[in-house]
Amino acid sequence: MQTIRLILIDKFIWLLGGSVLLATVFPVTGDAEPVAAFAVSAGIFWIFLLHGIRLDRQEVVAGFRNWRLQSAVFGFVFGAMVLAGLTMSWVLDGYIAPMIAVGFLYLGCLPSTIQSAASYTAIAKGNVGASVVAAATVNLSSIIITPVFFALLAKSVGIIITGASFVKIMTMLLLPFVIGQLIQRWARPWAARHGNIVGWSDKLAISLAVYVAFSGAVAAGIWQQVPGDQFLIVAAAIAVLLIFAFGGAWLLGGVADFVINDRKALLFGGAQKSIAVGAPLAAILFPAEAAGFLLIPLLFYHLSSLVLSAPLAVRLSKL
């Protein structure tokens, strides 16, 4: 019952599912597209401004004292998972729509979550402080690492990321983050006092990016171009990735001889993937119709990992 309750009360799962459903029934079209694109850009700026405000530099510095755990999380997220995503995109090429196959590579290059990783680590009675720092560190690094890795590896599957895209990334992701860090002294207390409103605004901005991207895919004929059996292939591939991610992260903690609380932090900090970075970055790199296809593996993976994390966290809390 506790597992089911954890899944049902996660409003973000319902919000993301609702965004996809709304885009399917009422996609953004015509004159509304420029307005939606501007709203997404504003939302992306807001998301990364909040990241800059909320990420405490002192926490990151303190967290690096546990350098073995931080290195393991960083290496698993940007090493093992990137290779897994690249391999999956190669294996699936020719069996599913090309941009969906590329989406597996994109998924692999993304950082882990912050809030979900910390929440499930807490439920599992793991090292929450280390989890927060590890997730925050890989998310900060992802502003540079994710687009660079994706640009370099995407060439192997015929996708070219232009210099103009990197300028947009710096403007829409790095600039607001830096501003957030600069105003953190004054803005962080305000964000803490209005945590519920700030948290919902963050989630709504992410959901808007998903809604607009998937609207583009619907307008491009995703339900006509992608038959049902391809979605079954995607689901099976996501299941394989989840087994690799969660099983690999847990085994790595054992091989590294981490204490049990650190293994729990590595598990949730290494295996999950952040749609908070993935959806905005896709909106910057690609037009909506392409971004919608690209995000399908991430949506499958993100929602499935949250559902999987609930029973795992409850079970691990007894260790």
Side-chain angles (χ1 to χ4, degrees), residues 3-296:
T3 297
I4 296 174
R5 184 179 63 82
L6 286 171
I7 295 171
L8 292 178
I9 65 173
D10 192 331
K11 297 181 178 63
F12 195 36
I13 293 178
W14 299 102
L15 198 57
L16 290 174
S19 299
V20 173
L21 179 61
L22 185 63
T24 300
V25 180
F26 300 109
V28 177
T29 56
D31 294 338
E33 290 182 7
V35 177
F38 177 81
V40 168
S41 296
I44 293 170
F45 197 93
W46 174 246
I47 289 168
F48 284 87
L49 179 67
L50 286 178
H51 284 341
I53 291 171
R54 293 186 293 200
L55 180 56
D56 191 324
R57 293 184 296 275
Q58 292 180 346
E59 287 182 3
V60 174
V61 172
F64 274 113
R65 293 171 185 166
N66 191 347
W67 64 269
R68 290 181 68 243
L69 176 59
Q70 303 304 325
S71 298
V73 173
F74 198 92
F76 191 80
V77 170
F78 291 125
M81 290 302 294
V82 171
L83 291 176
L86 178 61
T87 301
M88 196 64 74
S89 70
W90 283 343
V91 170
L92 296 176
D93 186 33
Y95 294 97
I96 60 177
M99 281 303 293
I100 298 180
V102 174
F104 279 90
L105 169 60
Y106 182 70
L107 166 65
C109 294
L110 290 170
S112 54
T113 62
I114 296 179
Q115 183 175 349
S116 295
S119 297
Y120 286 114
T121 300
I123 293 169
K125 299 179 181 177
N127 189 337
V128 179
S131 175
V132 171
V133 172
T137 303
V138 296
N139 271 263
L140 173 58
S141 304
S142 73
I143 297 175
I144 303 297
I145 292 178
T146 293
V148 169
F149 275 21
F150 182 67
L152 292 174
L153 296 173
K155 290 181 180 179
S156 65
V157 291
I159 302 296
I160 305 297
I161 306 300
T162 65
S165 296
F166 280 98
V167 172
K168 289 178 67 177
I169 289 168
M170 295 301 103
T171 304
M172 298 299 298
L173 305 188
L174 187 59
L175 176 61
F177 180 85
V178 171
I179 293 173
Q181 286 280 287
L182 292 174
I183 66 173
Q184 186 180 84
R185 178 180 176 184
W186 304 278
R188 199 161 188 256
W190 172 86
R193 287 196 304 271
H194 302 86
N196 192 45
I197 296 174
V198 169
W200 270 109
S201 69
D202 191 8
K203 291 180 175 62
L204 288 171
I206 296 166
S207 300
L208 176 63
V210 171
Y211 167 66
V212 173
F214 206 78
S215 290
V218 170
I222 186 172
W223 300 121
Q224 292 74 39
Q225 294 183 38
V226 184
D229 59 345
Q230 289 196 22
F231 283 105
L232 292 177
I233 293 173
V234 170
I238 291 299
V240 172
L241 270 182
L242 286 168
I243 292 171
F244 172 81
F246 282 84
W250 185 253
L251 288 174
L252 176 59
V255 171
D257 198 27
F258 289 151
V259 297
I260 189 66
N261 286 353
D262 284 354
R263 287 186 73 180
K264 295 173 183 178
L266 173 58
L267 174 68
F268 295 110
Q272 294 187 355
K273 287 293 181 178
S274 175
I275 201 165
V277 174
L281 185 58
I284 293 173
L285 292 175
F286 296 98
E289 59 272 17
F293 283 84
L294 188 80
L295 286 176
I296 286 176

Side-chain angles (χ1 to χ4, degrees), residues 304-316:
S304 300
S305 66
L306 292 180
V307 171
L308 177 61
S309 292
L312 273 177
V314 172
R315 186 181 182 95
L316 289 173

